Amino acid sequence: MIELTPEELSKRAEVERVKDASHYLRGTLVKSLQDPLTGALADDDTQLCKYHGIYQQDDRDLREERRRQKLEPRYQFMVRIRAPGGVCTPTQWLEVDRIANTWCNKTIRLTTRQAYQLHGVVKRDLKQTIAEINAALLDTIAACGDVNRNVMCNPNPHQSRLHQEVYEYARRISEHLTPQTTAYHEIWLDQELLSSSRQDEEPIYGKHYLPRKFKIAVAIPPSNDVDLFANDLGFIAIAEDDRLLGFNVSVGGGLSMTHGDIETYPRLADVIGYCSKSKTLQVAEEIVKIQRDVGDRTHRKHARFKYTIEDRGVDWLKFELNRRLGWDMEPPRPFVFEHSGDRYGWVEGANDTWHYTVFIQNGRILDTEDYPMMTGLREIAKVHDGDFRLTANQNLMIGQVSSKRKPVIDALLTEYRLADVNQQTGLRLNSMACVAFPTCGLAMAESERYFPSLLDKLELVIKQAGLEHDPILIRMTGCPNGCARSVLGEIGFIGKAPGKYNLYLGAGFYGQRLNKLYRENINEEQVLAELTPILQRYALEREAGERFGDFVIKAGYVKEVAAGKDFHL
């Protein structure tokens, strides 16, 4: 265990002091939860609760009114449930649905990391909510914080035999890198408290965990629907005759930045080598330990693994990794990515099973007067004998449907209008947005609540141009932190202020290239004025099979971004 002197600790970011004093993520959370005088946690505990999968938020729609009334903000909590590879059982789905309607705001949010988010939990209900999540054999530990987050994996229904084996590695990586502190079980599940005479241990993370969050994804070519190169660490499955051999390894991806700060920028990962499947956990652990030991703990904006690699170089990383492994990684093996989107509707899998992917706009599952989506999925879960799979594009796959149950589920899909995917444009089916207002404290502009109406207007343009069936990646975030991977959209919007967005163009269709700033700080009218002629020209001048992101570079609207450091140039 690393012990820091007060002088050493004072040179680090403030959150490092919080971790140092937390007694392995305990802090004063128990006391904070019992305080009846406020709906909030103590300041340090608002940092520590992230490691337990919780974000303290407040309703920003009500913030100013409550301030005028001299009331504290309407505090509430977002609870994030991990699901490695996005897979859960129908029983677990029904439990998440019940919890959302009992303790939360009666919605479920599917995230771009194949996790669940439950919004609107008040402090007095937090412990019960988390206890019931764990009773469903799910958990929230390490869903946030300076640790490895939910491990992503392609659903890939057309390669079910291979997917099952690859998914198992994603699950094992997640389990291997889960924090070992018993604080989570003590605080939320009333397990026996750790005696003061015995210390917790974190054999991988150590007392101070990582400098910043860490993200891992596993992809199965030719699909890159997990946007593998956006992750700190990636594993690309290398197979032969549907048999997994091992993984190519990629390092150094990350999409967050800060407006106006050119020292912060998105970066896509580099492929550094190949390892056999038996070496996967060792490689994952040693890469995490490298970031633990040398990542920047002084400046939070410079603390992600992408900056460790930018500062020291890919060759240094490969040398250091091989040294720690005690063996040299092999050169990368050939692979090809062809797309990054989901395959909607029915797809036949292996062993006489079927899979149906439902389009979930911006990942929000709820019932409205004219679209009872949540009820429909609940009724399907009651009769489903397979699994549910959350995709990295905020959609939901009803997986492993037996031929016997397929007609029953097909009828429910039709009854509850969940089979209307053919009525959606290619633009909308390839859209994503982050939560933003009213709950995200970082949001500068609307995203989830506004994006559908902007798409309505853009669809008029693409239909007139004859592009309604063409897939174009379009993404929106309310701030530059990248939750909906906006810098990987062929059309990307990043919020700058209420009603104002930076417009980016030119990302690669299968996640291989960042986009670039085209227009800054523009409103909806300006967005439509800028995009309309570009989309019309694309419809008239594109070559066969040419993607929109490639076209706007060829036509000179933006320059190609070859590396993260070129993003602001």
Side-chain angles (χ1 to χ4, degrees), residues 199-380:
Q199 285 289 327
D200 249 336
E201 292 184 3
E202 288 285 11
I204 294 177
Y205 291 115
K207 181 180 181 181
H208 299 99
Y209 297 86
L210 296 180
R212 281 295 299 274
K213 60 187 175 184
F214 199 89
K215 298 180 177 181
I216 298 176
V218 184
I220 307 174
S223 175
N224 186 26
D225 57 0
V226 294
D227 272 335
L228 180 118
F229 299 120
N231 289 267
D232 297 272
L233 173 59
F235 291 96
I236 304 166
I238 303 299
E240 186 175 278
D241 298 325
D242 276 348
R243 182 173 61 89
L244 179 67
L245 302 177
F247 298 94
N248 283 345
V249 179
S250 65
V251 295
L255 304 185
S256 61
M257 59 176 176
T258 301
H259 283 315
D261 184 352
I262 62 172
E263 297 300 317
T264 65
Y265 46 85
R267 184 187 193 277
L268 296 186
D270 298 286
V271 179
I272 60 169
Y274 168 86
C275 69
S276 64
K277 60 185 181 181
S278 64
K279 304 288 188 181
T280 306
L281 295 184
Q282 185 189 8
V283 170
E285 177 177 329
E286 293 304 330
I287 288 177
V288 166
K289 286 180 175 178
I290 289 172
Q291 173 64 352
R292 177 199 68 189
D293 294 342
V294 304
D296 190 345
R297 293 181 184 268
T298 304
H299 304 291
R300 292 283 287 176
K301 290 182 180 180
H302 189 254
R304 287 292 298 273
F305 190 39
K306 62 182 177 179
Y307 297 121
T308 302
I309 292 177
E310 284 285 1
D311 292 347
R312 296 171 180 262
V314 175
D315 288 340
W316 170 86
L317 187 281
K318 290 192 286 188
F319 176 84
E320 180 64 13
L321 176 59
N322 289 337
R323 183 186 72 80
R324 294 186 183 219
L325 290 170
W327 49 271
D328 289 353
M329 293 186 68
E330 298 178 29
R333 299 198 178 182
F335 70 96
V336 175
F337 284 136
E338 296 177 350
H339 57 85
S340 60
D342 291 333
R343 296 172 55 149
Y344 294 101
W346 286 111
V347 176
E348 188 172 6
N351 302 319
D352 197 30
T353 61
W354 294 80
H355 316 270
Y356 191 96
T357 300
V358 182
F359 172 62
I360 310 290
Q361 185 156 263
N362 299 330
R364 182 69 66 180
I365 294 174
L366 76 165
D367 280 347
T368 62
E369 188 174 330
D370 60 346
Y371 188 20
M373 180 199 309
M374 179 175 266
T375 298
L377 292 172
R378 184 185 309 132
E379 294 305 309
I380 288 172

Side-chain angles (χ1 to χ4, degrees), residues 16 68 137 159 188 376-377 379 475 483 496 549:
E16 295 294 320
R68 285 196 295 268
L137 303 182
Q159 294 177 295
W188 306 106
L377 292 172
E379 294 305 309
R475 298 171 179 179
C483 292
K496 195 76 180 291

Side-chain angles (χ1 to χ4, degrees), residues 26 58 96 112 138 155 298 311 336 362 417 444 466 494 541:
R26 290 169 176 82
D58 73 279
V96 173
T112 57
L138 296 165
T298 304
D311 292 347
V336 175
N362 299 330
R417 295 182 51 208
M444 301 174 180
I494 298 180
E541 299 180 15

Side-chain angles (χ1 to χ4, degrees), residues 555-568:
Y557 291 103
V558 292
K559 293 181 180 179
E560 180 176 358
V561 178
K565 285 189 173 181
D566 299 335
F567 185 77
H568 295 299

Side-chain angles (χ1 to χ4, degrees), residues 388-494:
F388 286 94
R389 306 180 186 189
L390 285 60
T391 82
N393 296 305
Q394 301 177 309
N395 297 310
L396 180 67
M397 181 184 296
I398 303 165
Q400 305 292 344
V401 179
S402 65
S403 292
K404 179 180 178 180
R405 296 291 176 90
K406 182 173 179 284
V408 177
I409 290 178
D410 206 22
L412 289 169
L413 288 167
T414 300
E415 179 182 352
Y416 290 98
R417 295 182 51 208
L418 295 166
D420 290 350
V421 65
N422 291 331
Q423 298 177 20
Q424 307 292 342
T425 65
L427 188 73
R428 194 175 296 264
L429 291 174
N430 287 274
S431 65
M432 289 200 299
C434 71
V435 173
F437 290 112
T439 53
C440 178
L442 300 175
M444 301 174 180
E446 292 280 3
S447 186
E448 179 188 337
R449 296 194 299 191
Y450 165 62
F451 201 28
S453 67
L454 178 61
L455 287 171
D456 289 343
K457 297 176 177 65
L458 287 171
E459 282 178 329
L460 297 177
V461 177
I462 64 167
K463 288 177 181 178
Q464 289 174 353
L467 297 172
E468 59 266 40
H469 301 302
D470 290 73
I472 298 174
L473 303 181
I474 182 167
R475 298 171 179 179
M476 175 178 283
T477 54
C479 80
N481 281 284
C483 292
R485 305 196 292 272
S486 51
V487 295
L488 286 177
E490 293 178 289
I491 302 172
F493 300 96
I494 298 180

